[in-house]
Amino acid sequence: MTIGFIGLGRMGSGIVRNLLRAGHSLIVYNRTRSRAEELAAEGAQVADSPAGVCEAGIVLTMVADDEALTNVTLGARGILAALRPGTIHASHSTIGIALAKRLTAEHTSSQQTYVSAPVFGRPEAAANAQLIVVAAGESGALDRLKPVFDAIGRKSIVVGEEPWQANALKLCGNFMLALMIEAFGEAFATMRKSGVEPRTFLDAMTGLFRSPVYEMYGGIIAEQRFDPAGFALKLGLKDVRLALRAADEVGSPMPFASILHDQFLAAMANGQSDLDWSSLTKIAARNAGLKE
Amino acid sequence: MTIGFIGLGRMGSGIVRNLLRAGHSLIVYNRTRSRAEELAAEGAQVADSPAGVCEAGIVLTMVADDEALTNVTLGARGILAALRPGTIHASHSTIGIALAKRLTAEHTSSQQTYVSAPVFGRPEAAANAQLIVVAAGESGALDRLKPVFDAIGRKSIVVGEEPWQANALKLCGNFMLALMIEAFGEAFATMRKSGVEPRTFLDAMTGLFRSPVYEMYGGIIAEQRFDPAGFALKLGLKDVRLALRAADEVGSPMPFASILHDQFLAAMANGQSDLDWSSLTKIAARNAGLKE
Amino acid sequence: MTIGFIGLGRMGSGIVRNLLRAGHSLIVYNRTRSRAEELAAEGAQVADSPAGVCEAGIVLTMVADDEALTNVTLGARGILAALRPGTIHASHSTIGIALAKRLTAEHTSSQQTYVSAPVFGRPEAAANAQLIVVAAGESGALDRLKPVFDAIGRKSIVVGEEPWQANALKLCGNFMLALMIEAFGEAFATMRKSGVEPRTFLDAMTGLFRSPVYEMYGGIIAEQRFDPAGFALKLGLKDVRLALRAADEVGSPMPFASILHDQFLAAMANGQSDLDWSSLTKIAARNAGLKE
Amino acid sequence: MTIGFIGLGRMGSGIVRNLLRAGHSLIVYNRTRSRAEELAAEGAQVADSPAGVCEAGIVLTMVADDEALTNVTLGARGILAALRPGTIHASHSTIGIALAKRLTAEHTSSQQTYVSAPVFGRPEAAANAQLIVVAAGESGALDRLKPVFDAIGRKSIVVGEEPWQANALKLCGNFMLALMIEAFGEAFATMRKSGVEPRTFLDAMTGLFRSPVYEMYGGIIAEQRFDPAGFALKLGLKDVRLALRAADEVGSPMPFASILHDQFLAAMANGQSDLDWSSLTKIAARNAGLKE
């Protein structure tokens, strides 16, 4: 298959490499061209604009946020105007449900198909084809995308027929992760004020939950390894915001997400914008009177 | 070793069986004598009162709550008065840190040693020697208890030298579990109002967290199998209360525990006292306007 | 002075009458023309479109929400295109700070001046010239508007030079009111479950706070007079949402506003959209297991 | 009437003076005797122990907390043992409902009558006979106490026949006050980050609520006059704790009280224990990244 790909950050580059490995032809675009050149050495063709990848029948996008996706899709030289009828735009980005609904409508008007296919996994998971892909959209389009999802992840899940449903699920999943982080923050603070080592509590929790995610995040938090960020706190705030908007739109109160949002704002005001999002736990520590 | 054991509910009976299997001699007591008789058939000796198990140098207790432990320890015919100097009382119950401090002081005054050794695990884990034991107290006593902990669990963790520290850890661990339950509740409600099946979300979450605990609780909640209770909601409320008191005493704000407490109260007021504590999720569903 | 006025709901009609009484000439527009006709009988001139009121050098708007204000200002036959340079648009509506910033920029581009002048007070206060006007914008424009504010309110406050600051203040004020409502809800629920009459508690609170606002809302809530609505719950939700967005934008966590938002969502899901916003208190009552 | 009085802090001294002014005979006791001597000069008789005031048929107590009231009532030389049958103990202290129930039972066993009569008002209100008295207990006893309540307050309210009900009401009233403080904290923080002066916001709020309580607290907070404390933050925490326990006991979730409790704990951990309880607002300011 020939596949267009836009957005070659740490996540996107890993995905592209796995698609190349699986034997697909790739035309790639990145705002900072140097990242695209690296992939050219591995067999990808490089385009000069988002529109330049559109001769492929399938275009995948993996960009930072709603604004970036709006730009590459609806902006000047964006893909909406360049894609032919009958083609597919699948977005892997974590975006809000309002934008997903808008893109669905716009692509439909242009006789194209929009699919939301956000992924769970950090950059290493992208590099190792270990992502979890949650996809929603027309079933015909999902069928065509199946080989793509198989090449980049360890599991793919069909969420529904409305693209925005996949984004809602992804946002709820990030909510589950952020909640686990805050939970560790409050529990570690109480443990430390009880004279118990964070490592001891973590040992019990990894024994209890037997989850590699608890083990990884618990370890980062116990050792306060927040810099460099695996996933920046400001992006975590963005996702909690989008989760709250999704919940608001469907009319579902999420008090834990609300409190999370406030903790994230406090962390931003405390200068933690570019630290790992698990540094959220510094707020619980500070509120308990702990130094660092 | 000869071991006294008080409290033969589903947890206690499983523990006793594993101790018998490991070759220890057991003298057991239970308020409802019939449960003790069952174990007599398997080799345990039956006592008529808490005091009756005290000829053993080590007494283990596994009772329902602070009040029950206060009664078997400090009440008439309780173990405090019956234990000889140099003996050990190890409590597996989930109790508050105030009671742990009181028992430590009382046993010390009587030249006995008190150890807190609460456990993580549901009745099946107790039956299969798969508990996680978190123990705190004098190191000499913990050494003597090691063969006991090895016989009943898959992992034992030394928390510190102050018995109450183990109780604080256990309460924080239960907080982590309750938080996961509420998180599922809020996320499932948002998913359902987005037209996404709970099973689909659960599928993504078990893929993401790869935790048997998420899988088990997520399944119970997705299918609303709340009756009979594995762990009753009223006991969950009790534990959240004790966690908040512990956090208050050490001066650590836990906003998520606070919100949990309110959700538990709403669930109690909604008649869910004897359902499984994971039925807490019915409150999030109701607040989103979902029927059942 | 000749004044254009758009938006003749219960608030707007009261304001217009007081301006007429103060001797000003009014040109008014309302989407539903019949409400404008009523005022024609009292001396106002009626226009056919928002643009039609723009020959006046000052245009005041009092419409339902961001969308309505966007339409009358930026829509076809809106006031932005119709106002001459050097004129003033003062908005009394409760809107978000994002829209206030946008209107400021748009009017400035057209050499007009935008002022935000939201008001505190229910329809009776508007009718009796008892509003509190909180205004922000260029000081020259505020000076020109002073006779207007004096004619419609009992107090006017200059908030700052950036119009959005007045909207931020208004949203924080509505937050204070909503908080008082929820506080009554939680306290009344606890009182009722303690066997204490709401009226008895209210008696103590009016004695304590000596505030007519506490007395009015406390009375409505104690007697559950939620229908017809003085201010609909769905509008209260809108304002809490806008307050949270303002707080988010300036980076100020507001945990009470967050929890309020969740309670409002629960009330919406419970069918209370068109009841008075003080019916928010039904959620606290329900969570305490009280019928009605 | 001859009245015994225990507890001559700033509140108690003011009350005693007003009782003397009203023509009653007073026998007073205070742990620190010097405060009693001052009142002797004004006509009170001084006793050497709590028991020493009991020859009066009515004993009033106004002490710091549950522990102090337990001591003067149930301790050695306490009033329970010293009071004759048919006498009344009326407690003005802010205590928990559990202690109120216990005192009711103990006094009833001794054929005495216990009344809870907590008061609203700061020391100046006590000095000026401007307290609000909320009383609960047997109606006969309340009748006998009426002249007392009339002499010390501007309003007295009968809450019910169970003494603890008055304590529940008092705790809910303090919750309303604490909530107003936190509301000011969040709103001021958002205003300051919006470039709006706290005084400007306060001006609008006193215009809106027209409450002397809003005016007083708003002023203290706007000017950060937290030292010396009118009412210490640690006492505010105590009252929120008691309110949450009361709510827990009657089964009424109070999410705002829960969040308040966490903010108070954070303020304690931040060293604000002895500042005025309105310094709670420093936590919201800090979470918004504001210095002081």
Side-chain angles (χ1 to χ4, degrees):
Chain A
M1 242 193 284
T2 301
I3 301 169
F5 200 99
I6 295 171
L8 301 170
R10 290 198 294 160
M11 293 297 292
S13 300
I15 291 173
V16 165
R17 284 194 176 93
N18 284 311
L19 291 171
L20 288 169
R21 255 172 231 140
H24 300 292
S25 298
L26 271 287
I27 313 175
V28 302
Y29 168 76
N30 197 54
R31 208 172 40 178
T32 308
R33 191 182 169 97
S34 56
R35 305 207 66 150
E37 303 292 359
E38 287 172 35
L39 289 162
E42 302 175 37
Q45 194 181 324
V46 179
D48 286 329
S49 72
V53 311
C54 288
E55 66 190 70
I58 292 176
V59 173
L60 310 178
T61 50
M62 179 47 132
V63 295
D65 54 21
D66 281 42
E67 191 187 350
L69 185 58
T70 303
N71 285 342
V72 300
T73 308
L74 308 175
R77 308 208 62 198
I79 61 181
L80 183 78
L83 278 175
R84 283 160 299 167
T87 51
I88 297 174
H89 170 200
S91 157
H92 294 307
S93 307
T94 299
I95 58 165
I97 66 174
L99 179 55
K101 289 176 179 177
R102 182 177 172 200
L103 293 181
T104 303
E106 297 272 11
H107 280 296
T108 300
S109 296
S110 300
Q111 293 171 277
Q112 302 149 4
T113 305
Y114 172 73
V115 167
S116 279
V119 297
F120 288 104
R122 310 246 295 189
E124 314 82 68
N128 300 322
Q130 290 293 308
L131 298 171
I132 299 171
V133 184
V134 289
E138 285 177 17
S139 59
L142 295 182
D143 289 345
R144 278 177 66 193
L145 289 163
K146 189 155 193 319
V148 169
F149 299 158
D150 288 347
I152 69 174
R154 63 180 157 88
K155 182 167 191 168
S156 80
I157 295 171
V158 174
V159 180
E161 299 197 347
E162 299 287 342
W164 67 269
Q165 294 176 309
N167 300 103
L169 189 154
K170 165 67 177 166
L171 293 169
C172 282
N174 278 16
F175 157 76
M176 299 287 286
L177 287 167
L179 206 71
M180 176 201 65
I181 289 171
E182 169 70 12
F184 267 123
E186 296 186 14
F188 277 146
T190 300
M191 289 286 90
R192 288 169 67 192
K193 295 208 72 168
S194 301
V196 178
E197 285 295 321
R199 269 283 157 201
T200 304
F201 181 68
L202 179 55
D203 197 12
M205 290 305 102
T206 54
L208 177 58
F209 285 98
R210 282 174 284 177
S211 160
V213 177
Y214 273 64
E215 193 164 350
M216 181 190 69
Y217 274 108
I220 291 174
I221 299 165
E223 294 165 14
Q224 311 219 30
R225 287 184 272 108
F226 301 136
D227 192 8
F231 182 65
L233 191 130
K234 65 187 166 195
L235 299 178
L237 170 57
K238 181 203 72 163
D239 287 0
V240 171
R241 244 184 226 136
L242 293 175
L244 280 171
R245 296 229 175 130
D248 190 333
E249 186 146 339
V250 301
S252 177
M254 295 182 82
F256 273 16
S258 294
I259 298 296
L260 266 177
H261 179 249
D262 293 313
Q263 300 287 73
F264 270 105
L265 282 183
M268 292 291 285
N270 196 36
Q272 300 169 222
S273 162
D274 294 315
L275 298 183
D276 193 71
W277 71 327
S278 57
S279 73
L280 184 71
T281 51
K282 290 163 74 84
I283 298 305
R286 185 179 68 172
N287 282 335
L290 294 163
K291 304 290 167 210
E292 283 315 285
Chain B
M1 240 191 291
T2 302
I3 301 168
F5 199 99
I6 296 171
L8 302 170
R10 289 197 295 159
M11 294 296 293
S13 299
I15 291 172
V16 164
R17 285 195 176 92
N18 285 310
L19 291 171
L20 288 168
R21 257 172 229 139
H24 300 292
S25 297
L26 271 288
I27 314 176
V28 302
Y29 169 77
N30 196 55
R31 208 171 41 178
T32 307
R33 191 182 170 96
S34 56
R35 306 206 66 148
E37 303 291 359
E38 287 173 33
L39 289 162
E42 301 174 38
Q45 195 182 324
V46 179
D48 286 328
S49 72
V53 311
C54 289
E55 67 189 68
I58 292 176
V59 173
L60 310 178
T61 51
M62 179 48 133
V63 294
D65 54 22
D66 281 42
E67 191 186 350
L69 185 57
T70 303
N71 285 342
V72 301
T73 309
L74 308 175
R77 307 208 65 198
I79 61 180
L80 183 78
L83 278 174
R84 283 159 302 164
T87 53
I88 297 173
H89 170 200
S91 157
H92 294 306
S93 306
T94 298
I95 58 165
I97 66 174
L99 179 56
K101 288 176 179 178
R102 183 178 173 199
L103 293 180
T104 304
E106 298 271 12
H107 280 296
T108 300
S109 298
S110 301
Q111 293 172 276
Q112 302 150 5
T113 305
Y114 173 72
V115 166
S116 278
V119 297
F120 289 103
R122 311 245 294 189
E124 314 82 67
N128 301 323
Q130 291 293 308
L131 298 171
I132 299 172
V133 183
V134 291
E138 286 177 16
S139 59
L142 296 182
D143 288 346
R144 279 178 64 193
L145 288 164
K146 188 155 193 319
V148 169
F149 299 158
D150 288 347
I152 68 174
R154 63 180 157 87
K155 182 169 192 166
S156 81
I157 294 172
V158 173
V159 179
E161 299 197 347
E162 299 287 344
W164 67 269
Q165 293 177 310
N167 301 104
L169 190 154
K170 165 66 178 168
L171 293 170
C172 282
N174 278 16
F175 157 76
M176 299 285 288
L177 288 167
L179 207 73
M180 176 200 65
I181 288 171
E182 169 70 11
F184 267 124
E186 296 185 13
F188 277 145
T190 301
M191 289 286 89
R192 288 170 67 193
K193 293 207 73 168
S194 301
V196 178
E197 285 294 322
R199 269 283 157 203
T200 305
F201 181 68
L202 179 55
D203 196 12
M205 290 305 102
T206 54
L208 176 58
F209 285 100
R210 283 174 283 174
S211 161
V213 177
Y214 273 65
E215 193 164 350
M216 180 190 69
Y217 275 108
I220 292 174
I221 299 165
E223 293 164 15
Q224 310 219 30
R225 287 183 274 106
F226 302 135
D227 193 4
F231 182 65
L233 190 128
K234 65 187 166 194
L235 299 178
L237 170 57
K238 181 204 71 161
D239 287 0
V240 171
R241 244 185 225 136
L242 292 176
L244 280 171
R245 295 227 175 132
D248 189 333
E249 186 146 338
V250 301
S252 177
M254 295 183 83
F256 274 20
S258 294
I259 299 296
L260 268 176
H261 179 249
D262 294 313
Q263 300 286 71
F264 270 105
L265 282 184
M268 293 290 285
N270 196 36
Q272 300 169 221
S273 162
D274 294 315
L275 298 183
D276 193 71
W277 70 327
S278 56
S279 72
L280 185 70
T281 51
K282 289 164 75 85
I283 298 304
R286 185 179 68 173
N287 283 335
L290 294 162
K291 304 293 168 209
E292 282 314 285
Chain C
M1 241 191 288
T2 300
I3 301 169
F5 200 99
I6 296 171
L8 302 170
R10 291 197 292 158
M11 293 296 293
S13 300
I15 291 173
V16 164
R17 285 196 175 93
N18 285 310
L19 291 171
L20 288 168
R21 256 173 230 140
H24 300 290
S25 297
L26 272 287
I27 313 175
V28 303
Y29 168 76
N30 195 56
R31 207 171 41 178
T32 307
R33 191 181 170 98
S34 57
R35 305 206 67 150
E37 304 292 359
E38 287 173 35
L39 290 161
E42 302 175 37
Q45 193 181 326
V46 179
D48 287 328
S49 71
V53 310
C54 289
E55 65 190 69
I58 292 177
V59 173
L60 309 179
T61 51
M62 179 46 132
V63 296
D65 54 22
D66 281 43
E67 191 186 349
L69 185 58
T70 303
N71 286 343
V72 301
T73 309
L74 308 176
R77 309 207 64 198
I79 61 180
L80 183 78
L83 278 175
R84 282 160 300 165
T87 52
I88 297 174
H89 170 201
S91 157
H92 294 307
S93 306
T94 299
I95 57 164
I97 66 174
L99 178 56
K101 289 177 179 176
R102 184 178 171 198
L103 293 180
T104 304
E106 298 272 11
H107 280 295
T108 300
S109 297
S110 301
Q111 294 172 276
Q112 302 150 4
T113 304
Y114 173 73
V115 166
S116 279
V119 297
F120 288 103
R122 314 246 294 189
E124 313 82 69
N128 300 322
Q130 291 294 308
L131 298 172
I132 298 171
V133 184
V134 290
E138 286 176 17
S139 58
L142 296 182
D143 288 346
R144 281 178 62 196
L145 289 163
K146 189 155 192 319
V148 170
F149 300 159
D150 287 347
I152 69 175
R154 62 179 157 91
K155 182 169 191 166
S156 81
I157 295 172
V158 174
V159 180
E161 299 198 346
E162 299 287 343
W164 67 268
Q165 293 176 310
N167 301 103
L169 190 153
K170 165 67 178 168
L171 293 169
C172 282
N174 277 16
F175 156 76
M176 299 286 287
L177 287 167
L179 206 72
M180 176 201 64
I181 289 171
E182 169 70 13
F184 268 123
E186 297 185 14
F188 277 145
T190 301
M191 288 286 90
R192 288 170 66 192
K193 295 208 71 169
S194 300
V196 178
E197 284 296 320
R199 270 283 156 202
T200 305
F201 182 68
L202 179 55
D203 196 13
M205 290 305 102
T206 53
L208 177 58
F209 285 100
R210 282 175 283 176
S211 161
V213 178
Y214 272 64
E215 192 163 350
M216 179 190 69
Y217 274 109
I220 292 174
I221 299 165
E223 294 165 15
Q224 311 219 31
R225 288 184 272 108
F226 303 134
D227 193 6
F231 182 64
L233 191 129
K234 64 188 167 194
L235 299 178
L237 170 57
K238 181 204 75 162
D239 287 359
V240 171
R241 242 184 228 136
L242 292 176
L244 280 171
R245 295 228 175 131
D248 190 333
E249 186 146 338
V250 300
S252 177
M254 296 183 81
F256 273 18
S258 293
I259 299 296
L260 267 177
H261 179 248
D262 293 313
Q263 300 287 72
F264 270 106
L265 282 183
M268 292 291 284
N270 196 35
Q272 300 169 222
S273 162
D274 294 316
L275 298 184
D276 193 71
W277 71 328
S278 57
S279 73
L280 184 71
T281 50
K282 288 165 74 85
I283 298 303
R286 184 178 70 172
N287 283 335
L290 293 163
K291 305 292 167 210
E292 281 315 286
Chain D
M1 242 192 286
T2 302
I3 301 169
F5 199 99
I6 296 171
L8 301 170
R10 290 198 293 160
M11 294 295 294
S13 299
I15 291 172
V16 165
R17 283 194 177 94
N18 284 311
L19 291 171
L20 288 168
R21 256 173 230 140
H24 300 291
S25 299
L26 271 288
I27 314 174
V28 303
Y29 168 77
N30 195 55
R31 209 172 41 177
T32 307
R33 192 182 170 98
S34 56
R35 305 207 66 149
E37 304 291 359
E38 287 173 34
L39 290 162
E42 302 175 37
Q45 192 182 327
V46 179
D48 287 327
S49 71
V53 310
C54 290
E55 66 190 71
I58 292 177
V59 173
L60 309 178
T61 51
M62 179 46 131
V63 295
D65 54 21
D66 281 43
E67 191 186 350
L69 185 57
T70 303
N71 285 343
V72 302
T73 308
L74 308 176
R77 307 206 65 197
I79 61 179
L80 183 76
L83 278 175
R84 282 160 301 165
T87 52
I88 297 173
H89 169 200
S91 157
H92 294 306
S93 307
T94 299
I95 58 164
I97 66 173
L99 178 55
K101 288 176 179 177
R102 184 178 171 199
L103 294 181
T104 304
E106 298 271 10
H107 280 296
T108 300
S109 297
S110 300
Q111 293 171 277
Q112 302 150 5
T113 303
Y114 172 73
V115 166
S116 279
V119 297
F120 288 102
R122 312 246 292 190
E124 313 83 69
N128 300 323
Q130 291 294 310
L131 297 172
I132 298 170
V133 183
V134 289
E138 285 176 17
S139 58
L142 296 182
D143 288 345
R144 279 178 63 193
L145 289 163
K146 190 155 191 318
V148 169
F149 300 159
D150 288 346
I152 68 175
R154 63 178 157 91
K155 181 168 191 167
S156 79
I157 295 171
V158 173
V159 181
E161 299 198 347
E162 300 286 343
W164 67 269
Q165 293 176 310
N167 301 103
L169 189 154
K170 165 68 178 166
L171 293 169
C172 283
N174 279 15
F175 156 76
M176 299 286 287
L177 288 167
L179 207 72
M180 176 202 63
I181 289 171
E182 169 70 13
F184 268 123
E186 297 186 14
F188 277 145
T190 300
M191 287 287 89
R192 288 170 66 192
K193 295 208 72 169
S194 300
V196 178
E197 286 295 320
R199 269 284 158 201
T200 305
F201 181 68
L202 179 55
D203 197 13
M205 290 305 103
T206 53
L208 176 58
F209 285 100
R210 282 174 283 176
S211 160
V213 178
Y214 273 63
E215 192 162 353
M216 179 189 69
Y217 275 108
I220 292 175
I221 299 166
E223 295 164 15
Q224 311 218 28
R225 289 184 272 110
F226 302 135
D227 192 7
F231 182 64
L233 190 130
K234 65 187 167 195
L235 298 179
L237 170 57
K238 182 204 73 163
D239 287 359
V240 171
R241 244 185 225 134
L242 292 176
L244 280 171
R245 295 230 175 130
D248 190 333
E249 186 146 338
V250 300
S252 177
M254 295 182 81
F256 274 19
S258 294
I259 298 296
L260 268 176
H261 179 249
D262 293 313
Q263 300 287 71
F264 270 106
L265 281 184
M268 292 291 285
N270 196 36
Q272 300 169 222
S273 160
D274 294 317
L275 298 183
D276 193 71
W277 71 328
S278 57
S279 73
L280 185 71
T281 50
K282 289 165 73 84
I283 297 303
R286 185 178 69 174
N287 282 336
L290 294 162
K291 306 291 167 210
E292 283 314 284

